[in-house]
Structures are given as C-alpha cells and as structure tokens.
Amino acid sequence: MILSICLSPCIDVNMEVDSLGVGRTNKIINKRIFYTGKAINVARGLKRLGADVYATGFMYEDNGRLFEQELHYEQVPYKFIWCEGRVRENYKFVDNKSMLTEVNDLSPKVSDVKKQELLDLVERLSHNCEAVVLSGGLAKGMKPSYYGEVLKRAGKDTIKVVDASGDRLFEALKVGVDLVKPNLDELQSTLGITVNSKEEALAGCYDLLQMGAKRVLLSLGKNGAIITNGTNNYYCKSINVAMNSTVGAGDGMVAAAANALAKGAPLEEILRCGVAGGTAAVTTPDSITFIKDKYEEILAGITVTKI
C-alpha cells in the first residue's frame, strides 16, 4: 500500500469572467470547483493506475465532507484527522484577455493535539505500507520541521517520496528521502541558484542528493524531466500534446513515479512513468489527475536517454 499524506487540503474555485474590475459587478461565464491538495491529487492518480493507496492528513469540519464525496467517487480509502474550521478556498479569475488573478486563502491553525494525532496515525498506517508520499504545504502556524516529524513516523524501511520546496524539503532531507520531485523554479528558489543548462540543473540535483535524497526527479515542465541518483543520469523529453489544464500536472508526475518506485522499477522507468503521468494530466480538462488510458498511450510513445 502507498500512503499519501495531505497536510493542507484546499478548494480551488476557478472562474472565467467577461472582465475583472475592482469596485464593480463582474459576471461569471464559467466556474469549476476542485477539491484538492497535492497529496489528495496524488492519491487519485495512484488509484487510477491501479495502486493500493490510502489517503490521510488533516481535514476541517465545516466543509471537509465534500472531500469525502470526491474520494468515495474515486474509490480511494481514507482516514483524516478532523480539525475545527474550514478548508481554505483559493480563487482564480481569468478574464477575456486571459489575465489570471489569484486570491489565496489561509489554512486554519491545527492544534498540537491534532498534530500528534496525525503523527500517531501515520505510524500505525505505515506498518502496512511499502511507501509514503508527503507533498504540499503546511497548515497555518505549522513549522517546516513537521515534515521531518511525519517522515520519521513512517518507519526506516518505508519508501519515502516528497514533493516540497524550501525549508520543508530541507527538513525532509534530514530524515532521508528515497525520491524528491522539485520543478525547476522550486530547485532554483530552494537552493538560491540560477539554472541555464542541463549541467547546471544536474548540479542542483546533486546538492539535494548530498543533503539526503537517494533520487531526484526534476520536472522541466513541457521540456520533460531529469532523474539522477548521483551515479546515473537520465533525461526524458515530453511529447507534444494539447494542453487542456495545468492543474495537477506535478501531482500526476509524483503519482506515476511513486507507483513505479514502489514496484521496484529501475531509475529510467521511474522517469518515464513520471513524465507520462505529468503529461497525461495536462491533457485532461476539468480534472486534477489523468485518465489511465491517456497515461498508457503517452507512456508508450516516450523514450529515455542517458546524460
């Protein structure tokens, strides 16, 4: 089983408007609501790949039941630590000039008692897990060190996959991580570097390896991805597809890569699966994950080269 841990769920409300003006009435043309959070998205992707997956994390009493409906629909089993308050809501407005305006909410604060409850739950659940995935942000007021605390409870021999940046990533690396998946912007901001070539990208990946990662899967967006374990380096170029949504592309990559890693796939296959997952996600409109048939179609058409 793969345990996917969400520390900060959110509701994304995406709206198309005819125009967006401050201080006046704006008309909504189209509205889409996603019950999300990076690890929630990963759990859905894993389930669609046929993996034995379980979702956990923090959830909030006022509107969290809507997430249960979504997970029931995807047939993803779950157990949350329920907290007071509402799941944060992020609003994205796109006007007729394709200008994006975002208003992001803050997550409610989680009590120390609830934090401890989740740590204990992760420890119990991980006894039956080959791997855990920890990704996304933290609840309000939560220290980055909580990332490390969660991973310590997962057990020494459990495969650990992390999708985070900054201090959260550094705290995870102190524990040791089997696979980290930054994108290019996250790599640069986390390490304080500028990347202008594959060689410089690999150098940044090597820094993460020295800090405690066993493998680094670096997303290059539409240009594909790089993976390295410090000994072998591979590159996989994505194929050209119709981009219908960028929502959940990174989470699709994490889901497919984690699934391959848990099955014992070699480094180059983890990369190939990850790129297929991320690419398939952007082809799926009105969704936060991919369709399995599209994933398999893309997987069959991409190749990996050693660098």
Side-chain angles (χ1 to χ4, degrees), residues 85-303:
R86 291 179 60 83
V87 177
R88 61 192 174 101
E89 298 173 354
N90 299 329
Y91 296 89
K92 296 177 174 63
F93 302 88
V94 178
D95 63 19
N96 56 10
K97 297 180 181 179
S98 297
M99 181 71 71
L100 173 65
T101 302
E102 298 188 59
V103 181
N104 290 335
D105 200 358
L106 293 175
S107 176
K109 190 172 182 179
V110 175
S111 70
D112 290 340
V113 171
K114 296 298 182 180
K115 293 176 192 175
Q116 185 61 48
E117 285 182 16
L118 181 59
L119 293 177
D120 294 341
L121 179 59
V122 168
E123 185 170 4
R124 291 198 302 272
L125 292 173
S126 64
H127 288 313
N128 298 317
C129 294
E130 293 83 33
V132 298
V133 177
L134 180 60
S135 62
L138 293 165
K140 183 180 179 180
M142 192 175 291
K143 295 180 180 179
S145 58
Y146 193 72
Y147 248 66
E149 293 178 46
V150 172
L151 291 175
K152 287 177 183 176
R153 293 300 188 98
K156 181 180 178 182
D157 297 325
T158 305
I159 295 169
K160 300 174 181 66
V161 178
V162 170
D163 182 10
S165 59
D167 289 339
R168 287 171 290 134
L169 178 55
F170 290 143
E171 292 295 332
L173 291 173
K174 290 178 183 178
V175 179
V177 181
D178 294 276
L179 177 70
V180 298
K181 190 224 66 75
N183 61 36
L184 193 55
D185 288 341
E186 290 168 340
L187 182 75
Q188 293 179 110
S189 63
T190 296
L191 297 177
I193 61 175
T194 300
V195 173
N196 295 307
S197 66
K198 286 181 185 176
E199 290 73 22
E200 290 176 348
L202 276 173
C205 292
Y206 291 159
D207 288 342
L208 297 182
L209 292 171
Q210 291 178 353
M211 293 178 191
K214 292 182 180 179
R215 303 167 188 83
V216 179
L217 173 59
L218 176 63
S219 171
L220 304 174
K222 65 181 181 180
N223 294 318
I226 290 170
I227 197 168
T228 180
N229 61 4
T231 302
N232 295 303
N233 313 310
Y234 296 97
Y235 169 71
C236 182
K237 182 180 180 180
S238 182
I239 61 174
N240 292 325
V241 295
M243 186 176 293
N244 293 307
S245 172
T246 59
V247 177
D251 305 324
M253 175 174 279
V254 172
N259 187 51
L261 178 59
K263 290 180 176 180
L267 194 65
E268 58 269 33
E269 185 64 11
I270 296 170
L271 172 61
R272 204 167 71 90
C273 291
V275 171
T279 305
V282 304
T283 69
T284 310
D286 299 328
S287 177
I288 56 174
T289 192
F290 49 77
I291 298 170
K292 186 178 181 182
D293 288 349
K294 176 58 69 172
Y295 165 81
E296 291 176 341
E297 175 188 327
I298 293 171
L299 183 65
I302 57 178
T303 58

